[in-house]
């Protein structure tokens, strides 16, 4: 019998996928577990849903993170009558729509990633913030050399990372770069992420704005960066800037500070906690983003203390321990 089943039904590597992968890689060393659905980097090869159901019995935990995964787990427990317990992780800091609310109400336990997220879901057993694998994300011995090895040009780099769309604040980042880059001749900016079909017009407008400012050779659009390349990218960057209008949690700044890379961000997600009152990052209004970026780039103390904040307050081990405590309580 398998102790733990973790589902990953989204073929795209999203923020949810990244957080799940970090946890599953650690859980694989603690449990007789199975991953179901699509592969996750650094994790055991997935099995089929039918295999997971066959291997589940009394005491098996199914840990789910998406609507489709909740439905599959509920079918397993309530229709197939498998004596499993279902644990759901919720990061949303806004009210769920009707179907997710009903699905979440049927969970045996809910883990919220923040205190704010806990306000929007029932059956919360614990608030367990996401953690970062500080053995994968760590500072470069020589950041200038690490940046040069990436091949983007210039003497240093700044990036925003995530889907290219208004909610993620891509336009805010671009406008901040139009103000910042003329003041920092060696700085190259990266807009990293996938452009969905419905947001191609949004992205094209930003590209035209950049070209009109004569900065198209310094604001680059590399597309998506795979999870295997993300630690290397973080080690090379001098600053991460995330300016979304909404973010449930937001792993990018956390991966940055584990790499000794501070951040500038808007006040959403868990960014204020990551900032450690300015020791690891700066939370700001969008119209002050360029000003705060200059401040962060000049603050060598922040670069040194960012890693310490990640290791001592947001390690993946802390997250896995917190989740394990919920599993133990749910099985009782």
């Amino acid at each position: 019998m398998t102790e733990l089943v973790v589902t990953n039904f989204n073929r795209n590597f999203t923020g949810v996928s990244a957080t799940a992968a970090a946890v599953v890689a650690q859980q694989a060393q603690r449990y007789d577990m199975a991953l179901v659905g699509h592969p996750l980097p650094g994790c055991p090869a997935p099995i089929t849903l039918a295999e997971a159901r066959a291997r589940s019995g009394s005491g098996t935990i199914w840990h789910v993170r998406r609507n489709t995964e909740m439905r599959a787990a509920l079918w397993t427990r309530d229709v197939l009558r498998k004596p499993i317990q279902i644990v759901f992780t919720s990061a949303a800091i806004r009210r769920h729509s009707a179907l997710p609310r009903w699905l979440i109400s049927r969970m045996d336990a809910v883990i919220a990633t923040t205190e704010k997220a806990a306000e929007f879901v029932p059956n919360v057993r614990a608030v367990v913030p996401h953690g970062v694998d500080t053995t994968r994300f760590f500072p470069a011995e020589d950041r200038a050399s690490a940046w040069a090895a990436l091949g983007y040009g210039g003497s240093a780099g700044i990036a925003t990372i995530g889907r290219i769309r208004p909610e993620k604040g891509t336009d805010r980042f671009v406008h901040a770069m139009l103000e910042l880059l003329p003041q920092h001749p060696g700085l190259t900016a990266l807009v990293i992420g996938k452009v969905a079909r419905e947001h191609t017009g949004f992205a094209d407008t930003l590209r035209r704005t950049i070209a009109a400012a004569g900065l198209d050779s310094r604001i680059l659009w590399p597309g998506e960066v795979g999870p295997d390349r993300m630690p290397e990218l973080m080690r090379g960057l001098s600053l991460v800037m995330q300016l979304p209008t909404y973010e449930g949690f937001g792993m990018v700044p956390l991966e940055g500070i584990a790499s000794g890379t501070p951040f500038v961000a808007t006040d959403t997600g868990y960014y204020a906690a990551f900032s450690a009152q300015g020791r690891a990052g700066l939370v700001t209004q969008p119209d002050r983003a360029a000003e705060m970026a200059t401040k962060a780039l000049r603050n060598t103390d922040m670069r040194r203390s960012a890693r310490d904040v990640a290791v001592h307050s947001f390690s993946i081990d802390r997250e896995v321990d917190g989740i394990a405590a919920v599993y133990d309580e749910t099985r009782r």
Side-chain angles (χ1 to χ4, degrees):
M1 182 187 71
T2 299
E3 292 179 275
L4 173 63
V5 171
V6 178
T7 52
N8 178 45
F9 289 179
N10 192 332
R11 68 176 63 253
N12 296 319
F13 192 80
T14 65
V16 173
S17 307
T19 58
V23 171
V24 170
Q26 298 296 316
Q27 289 178 325
Q29 302 173 33
R30 301 192 184 194
Y31 300 100
D32 175 6
M33 68 157 295
L35 175 65
V36 181
H38 297 285
L40 289 171
C43 298
I47 64 174
T48 67
L49 183 56
E51 290 173 316
R53 286 169 170 161
R55 289 165 54 173
S56 296
S58 180
T60 301
I61 296 284
W62 279 48
H63 194 154
V64 298
R65 293 172 169 85
R66 300 178 175 94
N67 292 352
T68 53
E69 298 166 12
M70 284 192 280
R71 288 199 296 266
L74 285 171
W75 186 271
T76 303
R77 187 191 69 189
D78 298 346
V79 177
L80 300 181
R81 300 294 181 181
K82 289 286 187 176
I84 65 170
Q85 285 81 44
I86 310 170
V87 175
F88 173 70
T89 289
S90 182
I93 53 174
R94 56 190 176 195
R95 192 167 186 257
H96 295 270
S97 57
L99 177 60
R101 289 203 308 273
W102 182 84
L103 293 169
I104 294 167
S105 74
R106 302 290 298 158
M107 300 293 101
D108 293 296
V110 174
I111 296 170
T113 59
T114 66
E115 293 80 2
K116 186 70 175 176
E119 298 175 9
F120 294 91
V121 285
N123 304 328
V124 175
R125 293 287 180 87
V127 174
V128 183
H130 291 312
V132 62
D133 185 345
T134 55
T135 65
R136 289 188 68 234
F137 290 91
F138 56 86
E141 292 185 12
D142 182 334
R143 191 173 300 273
S145 296
W147 170 253
L150 294 172
Y152 293 118
S155 57
I158 180 173
T160 191
I161 302 171
R163 295 294 181 92
I164 311 301
R165 57 184 179 182
E167 186 180 78
K168 290 297 185 181
T170 315
D171 53 337
R172 293 172 165 181
F173 175 77
V174 167
H175 289 119
M177 293 305 98
L178 297 183
E179 180 181 346
L180 181 72
L181 294 187
Q183 304 170 29
H184 297 266
L187 193 62
T188 297
L190 306 179
V191 182
I192 294 175
K194 181 178 180 179
V195 182
R197 183 180 305 170
E198 63 269 26
H199 295 124
T200 53
F202 171 72
D204 289 345
T205 297
L206 293 177
R207 287 191 177 98
R208 287 193 294 270
T209 300
I210 292 166
L215 289 171
D216 45 348
S217 64
R218 296 183 60 200
I219 303 177
L220 310 181
W221 300 67
E224 288 187 284
V225 171
D228 293 339
R229 290 184 54 217
M230 194 59 70
E232 176 188 20
L233 173 68
M234 287 297 185
R235 283 192 285 276
L237 291 172
S238 294
L239 187 69
V240 169
M241 183 176 284
Q242 301 294 107
L243 305 173
T245 59
Y246 167 85
E247 182 62 68
F249 189 83
M251 283 295 293
V252 171
L254 187 52
E255 293 170 346
I257 65 174
S259 309
T261 303
F263 68 90
V264 170
T266 44
D267 190 8
T268 186
Y270 216 48
Y271 297 160
F274 297 155
S275 72
Q277 297 181 321
R279 291 179 58 222
L282 300 174
V283 174
T284 184
Q285 294 297 318
D287 60 358
R288 296 189 65 198
E291 173 190 346
M292 291 298 104
T294 294
K295 183 176 179 180
L297 288 166
R298 291 173 178 170
N299 190 333
T300 56
D301 288 340
M302 187 182 295
R303 277 177 258 165
R304 286 193 290 265
S305 60
R307 169 72 178 180
D308 185 65
V309 170
V311 169
H312 291 100
S313 299
F314 297 104
S315 74
I316 190 64
D317 290 335
R318 289 171 65 97
E319 181 181 6
V320 174
D321 288 344
I323 292 171
V326 173
Y327 291 169
D328 291 342
E329 184 181 348
T330 304
R331 286 192 177 103
R332 293 192 189 111

